[in-house]
Amino acid sequence: MNHHQPAADRTALVLTGGGARAAYQVGVLKAAAELLPKRAHNPFSIITGTSAGAVNAVALAASANNFRLAVKKVERIWSNIHVEQVYKAGYRDLCAAVLRLIASLFHQGRGLHKPLALLNNQPLADLLSHVIHFGDLERRLDGGLLDAIGVTASSYDSGESVTFYQSNLDGTVLPEWRQSRRRGIATRLGVEHLLASSAIPMVLPATRIGDTYYGDGALRQVAPISSAIHLGAERILVVGVSGNPNRAPAESHEQHSPSLAKMVGHVFNSAFIDALENDMEHVNRINELVGVVINENPHASTGNLKLVDFLCINPSIEINEVVSRHIGSLPRAMRGLLRMTGATPEGGGTSMASYLLFEGDFCRELIACGYSDAMAQEDALMDFFYPRREVRLRAGT
């Protein structure tokens, strides 16, 4: 029997990108699962994800029949993960990759047999094929446990932010879209979409889907919340991976120029973090504008603009400080590479290291932080899952 929610009740979960930082999202979801009834189905009719957040999104959707069990499955993966399950990090692998990058200079900067990247993500492909059953995803959609699941990647050909989404709703209800370098394509999701969405440029290889190569979904994604709105969301829970945007970051006055890792980390932060914060400010402004129009004339037309009720939860800690405690758990070859590029506390590049630190100890600490932060907003979460009749606007920390 189909139990699709009416459009006015569609609640979305938006999971942003951030490499290993996405473990934080699991802690937030763990808290949400404990606040809901024990055997509750997935409470989100729409789930969208970018980069590592896309992996979490699809894993949750595939087990949408039992939300608490789905979160436990994802938590188990992150709590026991090791770098070798995501990318090859031995001396031979890293040296071969560096040589391939040098060789590409003699071939117009192209890889001859496969896309260029510093790291080989074949272990990630194997892991995803093992832990995510895409047939289950289709069954959850057919059973009405969710309306749509979206995975965002970036096209290297068109420069568009492309959301691949799977839904069993009619195309007239959830049509494809294309506007302002953002595109939605209806498809059947597979491992290749997750690999494309999480392919950090130059770090992990681009993935070919059809005739186009795609990279990390955070690239060119100026509006991370927009795909959920296009898919019909009226209320949105956003789980970010940056620190509290309202808290001034600690300043450091180094006597040397920024290291390579610090510059790369700055670029990563711009792609993974800044776009979300800017998009939330944009949604806030639209809500305020629509609210003024409706208050003055309840029957006035607002065109395509609508009120969007959202709650955002971000880490209360500085993740870079957590990195300093766990960077030593990386394989020796990877530690050496990070040290050479300055991706260490001494080199000021721990931000870059945070995206690559797929180790259980680091991820468990982020999960614990996510759980604590979400429980600190228990009232806001309960209001979100059980909304009052009036429209509310909230902004989490």
Side-chain angles (χ1 to χ4, degrees):
M1 181 179 294
N2 193 294
H3 299 287
H4 290 297
Q5 297 181 13
D9 295 331
R10 286 186 184 144
T11 301
L13 172 66
V14 175
L15 300 175
T16 61
R21 290 174 175 230
Y24 173 84
Q25 298 168 349
V26 181
V28 174
L29 295 170
K30 180 180 178 181
E34 290 188 10
L35 295 175
L36 293 170
K38 188 172 183 179
R39 299 185 183 276
H41 291 166
N42 157 54
F44 305 101
S45 54
I46 298 162
I47 304 178
T48 66
T50 302
S51 193
V55 176
N56 288 338
V58 173
L60 284 174
S63 298
N65 57 314
N66 189 316
F67 185 58
R68 186 172 295 192
L69 182 60
V71 173
K72 284 184 177 180
K73 288 181 179 179
V74 180
E75 181 185 10
R76 190 178 305 119
I77 295 170
W78 281 99
S79 295
N80 298 287
I81 201 165
H82 294 288
V83 159
E84 292 84 354
Q85 295 175 284
V86 180
Y87 54 83
K88 296 182 179 180
Y91 283 109
R92 182 179 299 178
D93 301 302
L94 295 178
C95 288
V98 171
L99 290 176
R100 289 189 67 246
L101 291 174
I102 295 174
S104 72
L105 300 178
F106 300 95
H107 301 283
Q108 298 181 325
R110 296 194 298 262
L112 290 181
H113 305 294
K114 56 184 179 180
L116 288 175
L118 180 62
L119 303 174
N120 183 333
N121 67 344
Q122 184 58 48
L124 177 60
D126 296 337
L127 176 65
L128 295 176
S129 299
H130 177 69
V131 301
I132 298 179
H133 304 289
F134 289 89
D136 288 343
L137 177 61
E138 186 168 4
R139 282 190 285 274
R140 307 313 174 207
L141 289 163
D142 290 341
L145 294 173
L146 69 160
D147 290 338
I149 171 72
V151 171
T152 300
S154 179
S155 168
Y156 278 114
D157 289 346
S158 68
E160 292 177 309
S161 176
V162 180
T163 298
F164 297 97
Y165 68 93
Q166 185 171 342
S167 173
N168 74 337
L169 295 181
D170 187 87
T172 58
V173 179
L174 287 184
E176 295 186 348
W177 68 88
R178 192 169 201 167
Q179 68 176 74
S180 303
R181 293 195 179 274
R182 300 193 300 273
R183 186 177 183 184
I185 299 177
T187 189
R188 182 170 180 173
L189 296 175
V191 171
E192 67 274 16
H193 297 96
L194 298 182
L195 293 176
S197 182
S198 57
I200 301 174
M202 292 303 296
V203 177
L204 297 174
T207 299
R208 186 171 181 174
I209 300 176
D211 296 325
T212 303
Y213 280 97
Y214 292 87
D216 199 291
L219 302 175
R220 309 301 293 269
Q221 190 183 37
V222 296
I225 303 175
S226 67
S227 57
I229 296 175
H230 274 292
L231 292 171
E234 297 288 338
R235 293 182 292 118
I236 303 174
L237 172 62
V238 183
V239 186
V241 295
S242 68
N244 185 346
N246 298 316
R247 183 177 66 184
E251 294 187 11
S252 61
H253 302 282
E254 298 171 348
Q255 301 302 314
H256 54 78
S257 61
S259 65
L260 175 61
K262 188 167 186 176
M263 291 187 287
V264 171
H266 189 69
V267 173
F268 284 1
N269 289 344
S270 298
F272 288 107
I273 296 171
D274 294 353
L276 174 62
E277 294 177 1
N278 292 335
D279 199 23
M280 287 192 298
E281 290 181 6
H282 178 66
V283 173
N284 263 320
R285 287 194 294 268
I286 291 178
N287 275 342
E288 292 171 359
L289 175 62
V290 174
V292 169
V293 172
I294 292 176
N295 287 335
E296 291 185 356
N297 184 356
H299 303 291
S301 172
T302 58
N304 293 326
L305 299 180
K306 62 181 180 181
L307 284 168
V308 177
D309 185 22
F310 74 92
L311 170 65
C312 181
I313 299 178
N314 271 313
S316 60
I317 60 172
E318 285 296 335
I319 292 182
N320 291 347
E321 296 175 3
V322 183
V323 173
S324 301
R325 295 194 290 272
H326 297 286
I327 197 168
S329 61
L330 285 168
R332 182 177 298 178
M334 196 64 192
R335 292 202 309 270
L337 177 64
L338 293 178
R339 187 164 51 250
M340 285 189 292
T341 60
T344 61
E346 297 79 13
T350 49
S351 181
M352 177 181 135
S354 70
Y355 294 98
L356 302 174
L357 222 172
F358 291 93
E359 287 293 330
D361 289 343
F362 174 68
C363 295
R364 284 192 292 273
E365 185 164 346
L366 292 189
I367 290 172
C369 177
Y371 179 85
S372 176
D373 288 347
M375 281 303 188
Q377 296 198 54
E378 178 179 348
D379 290 342
L381 276 171
M382 293 304 290
D383 283 347
F384 181 83
F385 289 123
Y386 303 102
R388 302 181 182 91
R389 294 181 65 86
E390 68 269 17
V391 177
R392 290 159 290 103
L393 175 65
R394 298 180 303 271
T397 56

